[in-house]
Amino acid sequence: MFASLLFLCAICARAQEPASAQAPEPWRTLEGSRPKICLALGGGGARGIAHVGVLRALEAMRVPVDCVAGTSMGAVVGSLVAMGLSVEEIEEVTLTTDWEAMSTDRPPRQQMSFRRRQDDVSQLVDFEIGVGMQGLKLPRGVIQGQNLLVFLRNLGHDYALVKNFDRLPVPFRAVATDIETGETVIIGRGDLPQAVRASMSVPAVFSPAEVGGRMLVDGGLFANVPVDAARAMGADVIIAVDVGYPVVDRSRLNSALEIADQTVTLMMRAGTQAQLAKLGDRDVIIVPALGETSSAAFDDTIEIMEIGEAGAVEMAEMLARYSVSADEYAALVQKRTGRVPDVESPVVREISAEVNAKMSKEAIYAWMDLDVGAPLDIATLERDMQRIYGLGVFEIVDYSLYPVEDGAGLRISATQKSWGPNFLKFGLALQEVFDGESNVALGARFTMTQLNSLAAEWRNDLQIGTDAKVVSEFYQPLNFGSPYFIAAGALGSSTLLTIYEDLGDVAIGQVRFQDIGINLDLGKATHTLGEVRLGLQWGRSQRHLSVGDPNDVRLADVDTDIGELVLNIRHDSLDQVPFPRDGTLASFGVAASLEQLGATSEFQSYALNYLSAWSSGPYTVSLGLEMQTYQNLVAGSVVEPFALGGFLRLSGLNRNELTGNQLLLGKVILMRRLDAMSFGSVPLYFGSSLEVGNVWQNRDQVDFTEGLWSGSAFLAADTFLGPFYLGGGLTQGGNASFYLAIGQVF
C-alpha cells in the first residue's frame, strides 16, 4: 500500500519546461484595451504552495488577474483567488492549515461516537476491510476526503449559493479527469468545494468524487497545467505556473519504486507538453526552481512560497508588459477583495437529508444541533457533519445550500461506505520480556452496522494467543439518534496466569482461568461523558491447573457459578490514540455477586482506572491510577486474582508477576516527541515513567507503605501496526526487565 501511495502521488507533480529568455514586444488588444489575463495553476501537492509566492510577485509587479484555472493543488490556491481573498489572506490560510490532517479522514476524536472511540483503545489496526456477499471489499481510496471537504467548505461558505463560477469575484475553473473515459473535465458550474475536491482526487490515494453523475479524479492525469481551461475562459494572456516534479536521469532509477514513479511521470508528460505547447509569445510560463522538493513537503511552506516568488521574479521582464498603474491596480484589487458575498449567514428555512444507507433520515437529524429558522452557524454545522461522520458508517458526509424564499435550504448528504456496511479489522498485541515471560495475541473484530433504521450494530471480537477470548454484543439504540440503548452479549475467555512466590520471581505453577457468560445491559452514551451501563451477567468460571502441584490451594481446580448485577461508567475525552496529548480516559465498575442471580457466593468487586494527559510543546505528562478490590469474600471463595507486573505496570517485573485480591497502582509518564510534525512521518517519542504499586490478598493487609517503586525508559513509535515500544524497567529490590511491546498500553 505504501508503495502504491508513492507511485500514485506522482500524478500531482509533473515535468518542467524551460521558459523563453527573450521578452516579446508589449501587446494590447485590437481595441487597445488591457488584455484579459488568466492564471493556469498546475498540480504538485506541496509544491503547489509555490503558487502563493507567484501571487505575491504578481501583486508586487501590479499584474492583474482576471480569471484562474487550476488543477489539484493549483485548484485549491486558484479557488482562494476566485473567492476574492487577498494575497495576505491566502498566505495566512496556507501557513495555518494543518495539511497533515488533510491526509486523514478522522474527525476530531471528541466528535466520534463512543463506540468508535472504543475501537481506538482496542488492539486493532486503523484499517478496515468490507465484508459482503461478494467477499472482501476494499475502499476506493486510502483517504475518502472528509477532512479535505470540511476544509474546503469552511473556506467557501460565503459563496455556497453561487453555482456559476463566473459569478465569483474572479471567474474560476477546476480541472479533473473522468476515470471511466479518461476525458479531461473542466468544471465551471455546480458546487465549488466539490469541484476542487474532484480536481485533487489522486487515484487510489483519494477516493473519486461524484460530480454531475461522473466519477472524477485528479485533473493532473492529462492536464496538469490547465492551459485549455484558461483559454476557454476567453484569456488573451495566460500566465502558466508549472510546479511539476522533474524527470530524473538513469542514475536515480535504482529501485522498482523509482522506476514506477518515473513511468507515471513519463506517461503524464505527453499531456503536460501538449498543454504547454499551446502557449504563444504573449503568454508567460513560470517554472519555480523547486528541484526535488517532495510533493509531501508541507513542513517547508515558507521556503516553497519564496521559491515560487523567485520564479515569478525571474520572468519580470515578460510580466512587466502587463503591469498597470498603481491606481488602476488598487481599483482592481478593491473590486475583487471588497465584494460582498451574495448571501452572508443566510437564515436556514429548511433541512433535508439524502441518506444512502439503512440508517433513517430521522437518525441524522437527531445528531444535529443546527436549528431551522436561525442564521447559518458554520461552526455548529461543521461540528454536526463531523459528529455524523464520527458514527463510522459513512464514506462522506457533506452539505450544500440552495436558495429558498427569505433564506436558504440546507441539504445533508450522507453516503454509506462503498465497502460497507459490514467491516473487518485486525490487530496485534505483543509484550516480549527478554529473559522472562512473553505474551502475544492476534485479534479480529467483525462489526455489522446499520442492521435497522435505528442504527443497530452487532460486534464480534476474536483473540487468539497466550490469552484468548470471544466476545459478541448486539447494540440497539432505543430511538432515532437516542443516547439510550440496550445491549445483549456473550463472552468466552481463557487466561493463562503464572503464579509466583510473594515478592519473588520464582514461579510455583500456572493456572488457566476460563469464563463463559451472557449479559444484558441498559445504558446511555453521550459525547461528553462517554457511557453508563447497568446490567445483569450470568455464567460460569473455572480454574484449571496447567503446571504445578495440584494440592496447592493456589493452583487447584475450581468451578464457580456467576450471577452479578453490574454498573460500569466510562469516560473518554482523549484527543488522540495512541500517545494522547490531552484529555482523560477513566472507568469505574462495580459488580455485586448475588446468590439470587445464581452465584456460588456473594461478594462485591470494584475497579477504578484513570489516565489524564497534559502537554506543552513536544512534552506530554500523563498521570495514571488503578485500584481493584474484592470485598466480603468468604473463606473458600475462588475468584480470578488481579495482577501487576509488566511494561508500565511495575516495569521491572515479569508480566503479571504479582497476583492478589487487592491492587493499587499509580504512575507518572513523561514523553517527548523527537521529530517535528510532518506530512506522512512516523512520530517518534522518548519516554520515562515512575510507578508505585502492589497487591495484597486481603483488605486488612493493604498498606500503602509497602508499595514497590519502579521506573522505566523507552523509545516509542506510532506505526501502522499500532504503538511500538522498546525499553527497560527496574523495580525496587533489583528486579530488571527489558521489553519489546506492540499495542496499546494504558
Side-chain angles (χ1 to χ4, degrees):
M1 182 182 300
F2 181 72
S4 298
L5 289 178
L6 293 179
F7 178 89
L8 290 163
C9 277
I11 72 168
C12 292
R14 292 300 165 256
Q16 301 181 5
E17 298 291 331
S20 173
Q22 182 176 1
E25 292 296 320
W27 180 83
R28 294 290 185 269
T29 65
L30 293 176
E31 296 79 13
S33 61
R34 181 180 67 79
K36 183 176 183 179
I37 302 173
C38 190
L39 297 180
L41 305 181
R47 295 165 67 93
I49 293 173
H51 295 315
V52 182
V54 171
L55 294 174
R56 183 194 299 166
L58 294 179
E59 181 177 68
M61 299 178 199
R62 300 195 302 275
V63 175
V65 174
D66 302 299
C67 52
V68 58
T71 295
S72 198
M73 193 63 181
V76 176
V77 177
S79 68
L80 301 180
V81 176
M83 289 183 289
L85 274 68
S86 67
V87 174
E88 290 75 16
E89 289 172 325
I90 295 174
E91 288 180 350
E92 182 179 1
V93 168
T94 305
L95 293 171
T96 58
T97 295
D98 184 358
W99 296 105
E100 187 174 10
M102 300 302 105
S103 68
T104 177
D105 295 312
R106 291 176 64 86
R109 194 168 181 274
Q110 290 83 351
Q111 300 303 330
M112 296 167 62
S113 70
F114 184 73
R115 290 184 71 78
R116 300 292 80 83
R117 279 181 270 174
Q118 285 181 306
D119 290 342
D120 266 356
V121 297
S122 65
Q123 306 291 359
L124 298 172
V125 174
D126 189 20
F127 180 76
E128 61 187 15
I129 300 172
V131 180
M133 296 299 293
Q134 295 77 31
L136 301 180
K137 297 183 289 184
L138 294 175
R140 294 185 297 182
V142 176
I143 305 167
Q144 308 312 310
Q146 178 68 23
N147 284 344
L148 174 62
L149 198 52
V150 170
F151 166 70
L152 296 171
R153 289 268 178 230
N154 184 280
L155 292 176
H157 64 82
D158 285 344
Y159 296 96
L161 296 178
V162 176
K163 304 305 178 184
N164 183 343
F165 299 170
D166 286 335
R167 294 187 57 232
L168 294 168
V170 178
F172 173 70
R173 299 291 184 271
V175 178
T177 303
D178 188 321
I179 195 60
E180 291 184 279
T181 65
E183 178 186 357
T184 294
V185 179
I186 300 174
I187 309 173
R189 299 184 64 87
D191 185 83
L192 181 61
Q194 277 285 8
V196 177
R197 160 73 174 84
S199 181
M200 60 186 308
S201 299
V202 180
V205 178
F206 285 94
S207 64
E210 298 281 351
V211 178
R214 308 179 81 164
M215 184 179 293
L216 302 182
V217 297
D218 196 297
L221 283 174
F222 302 111
N224 200 45
V225 182
V227 172
D228 280 342
R231 194 71 74 192
M233 299 176 76
D236 297 312
V237 173
I238 294 175
I239 300 175
V241 186
D242 184 1
V243 293
Y245 197 82
V247 175
V248 299
D249 59 39
R250 63 184 300 168
S251 65
R252 297 289 304 277
L253 303 177
N254 299 316
S255 70
L257 187 59
E258 290 167 339
I259 291 174
D261 184 55
Q262 180 86 330
T263 301
V264 174
T265 301
L266 293 173
M267 292 171 59
M268 297 281 303
R269 187 165 186 174
T272 301
Q273 287 180 326
Q275 289 288 303
L276 295 177
K278 297 179 181 181
L279 296 174
D281 291 341
R282 302 166 181 170
D283 305 314
V284 182
I285 306 174
I286 298 174
V287 184
L290 292 165
E292 296 183 2
T293 300
S294 170
S295 59
F298 287 97
D299 278 347
D300 300 328
T301 298
I302 294 177
E303 180 182 352
I304 293 173
M305 285 194 294
E306 290 173 348
I307 293 173
E309 183 177 13
V313 169
E314 288 182 3
M315 307 304 296
E317 184 178 353
M318 298 183 69
L319 292 169
R321 298 174 301 168
Y322 308 117
S323 178
V324 298
S325 67
D327 290 341
E328 183 179 359
Y329 188 80
L332 291 169
V333 171
Q334 176 60 34
K335 180 181 179 180
R336 183 179 81 237
T337 61
R339 176 177 172 179
V340 177
D342 286 0
V343 178
E344 187 172 7
S345 298
V347 175
V348 178
R349 297 300 181 185
E350 61 186 38
I351 300 177
S352 62
E354 297 177 354
V355 183
N356 177 23
K358 292 182 181 179
M359 189 182 299
S360 71
K361 297 179 181 180
E362 287 75 14
I364 297 297
Y365 299 145
W367 283 98
M368 298 183 62
D369 291 332
L370 192 71
D371 295 324
V372 174
L376 178 64
D377 186 328
I378 293 297
T380 299
L381 179 57
E382 288 184 357
R383 186 172 63 249
D384 289 344
M385 297 301 98
Q386 295 287 48
R387 184 178 296 175
I388 296 169
Y389 188 79
L391 297 173
V393 299
F394 296 113
E395 185 168 340
I396 286 289
V397 177
D398 195 14
Y399 70 89
S400 60
L401 297 177
Y402 54 91
V404 298
E405 186 176 356
D406 298 327
L410 174 65
R411 182 179 294 108
I412 307 300
S413 174
T415 303
Q416 178 179 286
K417 290 179 177 179
S418 58
W419 61 100
N422 306 321
F423 308 104
L424 183 63
K425 283 188 170 184
F426 296 96
L428 169 68
L430 169 69
Q431 192 166 132
E432 173 70 33
V433 183
F434 302 108
D435 296 327
E437 185 176 334
S438 299
N439 175 58
V440 63
L442 297 175
R445 170 169 291 176
F446 177 56
T447 306
M448 301 177 69
T449 70
Q450 302 182 76
L451 295 176
N452 53 40
S453 62
L454 297 179
E457 290 187 6
W458 185 15
R459 187 166 66 192
N460 302 275
D461 290 347
L462 172 66
Q463 177 180 299
I464 58 176
T466 308
D467 299 332
K469 68 177 181 180
V470 177
V471 182
S472 182
E473 180 184 76
F474 181 80
Y475 178 92
Q476 176 65 67
L478 296 182
N479 204 342
F480 298 114
S482 171
Y484 294 97
F485 64 88
I486 57 174
L491 164 71
S493 67
S494 176
T495 304
L496 183 65
L497 194 63
T498 301
I499 306 299
Y500 294 85
E501 291 286 359
D502 291 343
L503 300 181
D505 58 1
V506 177
I508 64 171
Q510 284 186 326
V511 294
R512 183 170 291 278
F513 285 90
Q514 294 179 321
D515 294 303
I516 186 170
I518 60 174
N519 66 279
L520 180 64
D521 299 334
L522 174 65
K524 179 180 180 180
T526 68
H527 279 283
T528 53
L529 174 62
E531 184 181 85
V532 178
R533 290 191 182 209
L534 179 64
L536 299 172
Q537 182 173 314
W538 298 272
R540 189 164 183 81
S541 179
Q542 299 175 324
R543 185 181 71 188
H544 296 298
L545 174 66
S546 294
V547 178
D549 183 359
N551 297 315
D552 192 318
V553 295
R554 293 170 293 179
L555 306 176
D557 291 354
V558 178
D559 289 358
T560 58
D561 292 323
I562 299 172
E564 295 179 338
L565 176 65
V566 181
L567 171 68
N568 281 306
I569 302 173
R570 300 173 182 172
H571 170 82
D572 183 355
S573 61
L574 297 180
D575 62 336
Q576 64 183 36
V577 173
F579 309 118
R581 291 181 51 80
D582 184 68
T584 298
L585 179 67
S587 66
F588 173 74
V590 55
S593 178
L594 302 172
E595 293 180 352
Q596 298 93 319
L597 295 177
T600 300
S601 60
E602 293 198 350
F603 60 91
Q604 300 83 45
S605 64
Y606 300 87
L608 171 67
N609 286 274
Y610 175 88
L611 177 75
S612 278
W614 301 269
S615 294
S616 177
Y619 294 96
T620 299
V621 176
S622 300
L623 174 65
L625 176 65
E626 181 178 345
M627 299 176 65
Q628 298 188 74
T629 178
Y630 288 114
Q631 299 293 319
N632 300 318
L633 284 175
V634 298
S637 296
V638 177
V639 293
E640 182 173 347
F642 307 123
L644 274 181
F647 183 50
L648 299 183
R649 296 179 58 78
L650 299 186
S651 297
L653 302 180
N654 275 314
R655 173 179 172 267
N656 297 338
E657 185 170 325
L658 303 180
T659 57
N661 295 330
Q662 317 292 325
L663 180 151
L664 179 63
L665 174 69
K667 56 189 173 184
V668 178
I669 305 169
L670 174 64
M671 296 182 64
R672 185 188 192 282
R673 181 154 180 170
L674 300 179
D675 63 323
M677 293 290 284
S678 62
F679 188 93
S681 67
V682 175
L684 300 174
Y685 301 85
F686 174 75
S688 60
S689 69
L690 180 64
E691 310 144 36
V692 59
N694 210 335
V695 298
W696 299 267
Q697 294 303 318
N698 302 311
R699 182 180 178 183
D700 56 9
Q701 294 176 334
V702 176
D703 186 346
F704 295 113
T705 63
E706 294 181 356
L708 298 176
W709 290 89
S710 183
S712 73
F714 56 88
L715 289 172
D718 188 0
T719 72
F720 175 73
L721 291 177
F724 174 94
Y725 301 89
L726 181 64
L730 181 65
T731 297
Q732 181 179 339
N735 296 285
S737 295
F738 294 93
Y739 295 94
L740 169 64
I742 299 175
Q744 305 287 5
V745 179
F746 291 108

